[in-house]
Amino acid sequence: MRNRCRLANGCQLLGNGRIVLEPDNRVPHIFCMPHTHDQTQGTTAERPVRAQPFGAPHIFVLAVVEGSDLTQTYRLSRSESIIGRSDACAIRIDDEQISKRHCKIRIEGGVCTLHDLESTNGTELNGRPFRRGTAHRLRHLDEIRLGGTRLVLLSGRYNP
């Protein structure tokens, strides 16, 4: 059975295929390419099994939502990740209000905790400062403020 798709200019797209959009500074062009199956991969049962990432089935990511680099994300791929200005930190943030070793995030199974490392300017969790040298359990969408930088924790599950 053939599929039909009516385009804005009155033309029709017939058959099984996929649409590939190619950027053009003047006008976008649409090309129709036949859909092909990759025969080299074989069936699902024949494909090699991917190695699970650290912490699987739990995945944790920090995303910068306020600060100098709003496009930066950090995948927490260690049992302990130190955050600070130092080059030796697993997560280095260039912010003068952040200590060289500001805080650390520990992952144990599906539990993620934030530990302040007695930083000079302190750490805030969800808008509330917490005492230096203490630890708090993190949850999905928790906000961490370090100096002028605000991070959001994203957590999810790995589906192989």
Side-chain angles (χ1 to χ4, degrees), residues 39-74:
Q39 300 297 329
T40 61
Q41 291 294 322
T43 64
T44 304
E46 296 170 356
R47 291 184 189 159
V49 177
R50 290 187 296 175
Q52 290 188 349
F54 168 82
H58 307 283
I59 306 297
F60 299 101
V61 175
L62 288 174
V64 176
V65 294
E66 187 177 317
S68 60
D69 189 2
L70 297 176
T71 62
Q72 188 64 49
T73 57
Y74 303 97

Side-chain angles (χ1 to χ4, degrees), residues 34-108:
H35 181 69
T36 59
H37 295 284
D38 187 0
Q39 300 297 329
T40 61
Q41 291 294 322
T43 64
T44 304
E46 296 170 356
R47 291 184 189 159
V49 177
R50 290 187 296 175
Q52 290 188 349
F54 168 82
H58 307 283
I59 306 297
F60 299 101
V61 175
L62 288 174
V64 176
V65 294
E66 187 177 317
S68 60
D69 189 2
L70 297 176
T71 62
Q72 188 64 49
T73 57
Y74 303 97
R75 172 126 178 344
L76 300 176
S77 58
R78 304 175 181 181
S79 59
E80 268 190 17
S81 297
I82 305 290
I83 302 173
R85 280 186 299 128
S86 172
D87 289 333
C89 292
I91 299 174
R92 186 182 181 286
I93 299 175
D94 190 24
D95 183 338
E96 290 299 318
Q97 297 175 358
I98 295 177
S99 299
K100 289 181 181 178
R101 290 175 40 94
H102 196 95
C103 62
K104 73 177 171 183
I105 294 182
R106 295 197 68 196
I107 299 173
E108 296 178 53

